[in-house]
Amino acid sequence: MDNKNIIITALGVGLTGGIIYYLSKFLKSEPLGFSRDQVLKMIKEYKRASLRVFVQTAEIVKRIKDQNGGKDTLKEGITIKDVVKDNIMNDLIQEREYIAKRYNISLEQFDNYYSIQYGGDKEIQEVCNQIQKTFENSLLGIPPSLEVSQQVKEKFSEDKVIEMQKKILKAQSKQFNNVFKDIKQETQQDHVDIESDLFKQKIRDLDIHQLKTDLLKKEGFEFEPESPCETFEKLSFQYKKTSKDYEIKLSQVINIYNKIKSDMLYSKVDDTYIDMIFN
């Protein structure tokens, strides 16, 4: 199996991806709908989203292995990897489906972009290889590294990260609210159909990742070699895992964010309301 098919399999596409790859040698690929930079952004989003899945998988594998006396093989020759692999594959598919839906494309199109149409792009394939390696390690009970430097921890305490989470979600809320207001004005209706093509297109046009990156940089959250978003999410994940207080506060912030989005569906929401409810 060549490198492209290995990457596709590791990302959860499996046999279907392999068939698509070989057919693409003989059949004309569908026209490109996304630029190389857009696909790179999508695959990086997937890398960040899959972090949670890989951490949980590694924990489950390690727990089963400990209960099994440190052995990888269970009864009748079944391995721990065999037991958990289907679940992790399903979780990864769900993560990719979520990203694909946000960009208003199918899962197959998403997989096609990074594995075939940009299969020769060095940077995109490097991210794919990183995902593959983390995937393989998680099935062995080895979690992805969540370590951040002491410099980052000293500069950004739990409370500081919670405040940054608030700023990010508040800014996102205002961007989403602008979309809702635009659609209500265009359709002359008080309700927004979030399944409509119009809504999906406007959400797709929002660059939430760039918004988050800019806010983090403004707060001084820029540490090489990782992107600000990746480092921030690792730090948040670490605090969530080690601090119940942080987990509770983060849950409260997310609940506020979800309430605002729910209010947008039927009620008129303005920036003043968003500022008030986040304070």
Side-chain angles (χ1 to χ4, degrees):
M1 183 181 289
D2 61 28
N3 188 50
K4 288 182 181 177
N5 278 322
I6 292 172
I7 292 170
I8 294 170
T9 302
L11 293 174
V13 186
L15 180 61
T16 302
I19 293 172
I20 291 173
Y21 171 66
Y22 284 112
L23 284 177
S24 71
K25 289 178 173 290
F26 304 102
L27 301 176
K28 185 178 180 180
S29 296
E30 62 181 276
L32 284 175
F34 288 89
S35 69
R36 177 260 182 197
D37 288 345
Q38 287 174 314
V39 174
L40 178 61
K41 184 172 75 172
M42 282 192 281
I43 199 66
K44 283 185 175 180
E45 283 184 31
Y46 176 48
K47 180 187 175 185
R48 290 192 299 273
S50 64
L51 183 68
R52 173 192 61 82
V53 178
F54 294 141
V55 169
Q56 291 176 348
T57 299
E59 289 175 349
I60 291 170
V61 170
K62 187 176 184 305
R63 191 181 310 125
I64 296 174
K65 190 172 181 178
D66 289 344
Q67 293 172 350
N68 196 44
K71 298 177 182 178
D72 292 317
T73 304
L74 303 172
K75 294 179 180 179
E76 300 177 357
I78 299 174
T79 66
I80 298 173
K81 179 179 177 180
D82 294 331
V83 173
V84 302
K85 191 171 183 179
D86 284 346
N87 285 335
I88 185 175
M89 294 297 247
N90 288 334
D91 286 344
L92 292 175
I93 288 173
Q94 287 178 8
E95 294 293 353
R96 294 204 317 286
E97 282 180 335
Y98 175 75
I99 294 171
K101 187 175 181 180
R102 286 207 306 107
Y103 286 91
N104 201 23
I105 58 175
S106 68
L107 175 62
E108 290 74 17
Q109 287 173 314
F110 177 39
D111 291 334
N112 181 66
Y113 281 129
Y114 66 74
S115 63
I116 299 173
Q117 294 187 358
Y118 291 102
D121 184 275
K122 185 176 180 180
E123 190 172 0
I124 289 174
Q125 294 313 308
E126 175 59 29
V127 178
C128 289
N129 287 332
Q130 291 169 1
I131 297 171
Q132 176 194 350
K133 182 64 177 176
T134 312
F135 166 81
E136 293 170 348
N137 283 341
S138 70
L139 290 174
L140 297 174
I142 304 171
S145 173
L146 297 175
E147 287 302 313
V148 293
S149 70
Q150 190 60 34
Q151 176 192 6
V152 176
K153 293 179 182 177
E154 290 174 356
K155 189 172 182 179
F156 298 97
S157 64
E158 291 181 20
D159 288 340
K160 177 65 175 176
V161 172
I162 289 295
E163 285 304 310
M164 292 168 69
Q165 294 278 17
K166 283 184 180 180
K167 288 181 180 180
I168 290 167
L169 293 181
K170 184 193 292 186
Q172 286 183 199
S173 296
K174 290 180 178 180
Q175 283 209 350
F176 280 128
N177 193 43
N178 288 335
V179 168
F180 276 82
K181 287 193 293 186
D182 288 346
I183 293 176
K184 287 177 181 179
Q185 186 173 7
E186 288 180 30
T187 61
Q188 295 296 301
Q189 294 181 354
D190 292 331
H191 173 66
V192 174
D193 180 6
I194 60 175
E195 295 299 325
S196 68
D197 291 339
L198 177 61
F199 178 80
K200 291 177 181 178
Q201 181 60 50
K202 285 187 177 291
I203 292 298
R204 174 179 162 181
D205 290 341
L206 294 179
D207 198 339
I208 297 299
H209 176 71
Q210 191 59 51
L211 169 70
K212 185 175 181 179
T213 299
D214 291 343
L215 284 171
L216 289 173
K217 285 182 177 180
K218 189 176 180 180
E219 295 289 330
F221 207 98
E222 190 170 10
F223 303 90
E224 297 293 343
E226 294 173 332
S227 71
C229 288
E230 188 167 348
T231 306
F232 182 73
E233 286 171 16
K234 281 188 176 182
L235 181 60
S236 181
F237 204 112
Q238 197 173 95
Y239 282 152
K240 185 178 178 182
K241 192 175 180 181
T242 58
S243 171
K244 189 66 178 177
D245 186 53
Y246 177 85
E247 185 179 10
I248 292 171
K249 288 179 179 178
L250 179 60
S251 178
Q252 290 171 342
V253 173
I254 293 173
N255 287 340
I256 291 171
Y257 175 63
N258 288 334
K259 180 185 183 330
I260 291 174
K261 288 198 296 182
S262 177
D263 290 344
M264 289 177 193
L265 284 172
Y266 299 100
S267 308
K268 289 184 178 180
V269 174
D270 57 22
D271 287 355
T272 302
Y273 172 76
I274 293 173
D275 288 334
M276 178 190 71
I277 201 168
F278 264 110
N279 291 333

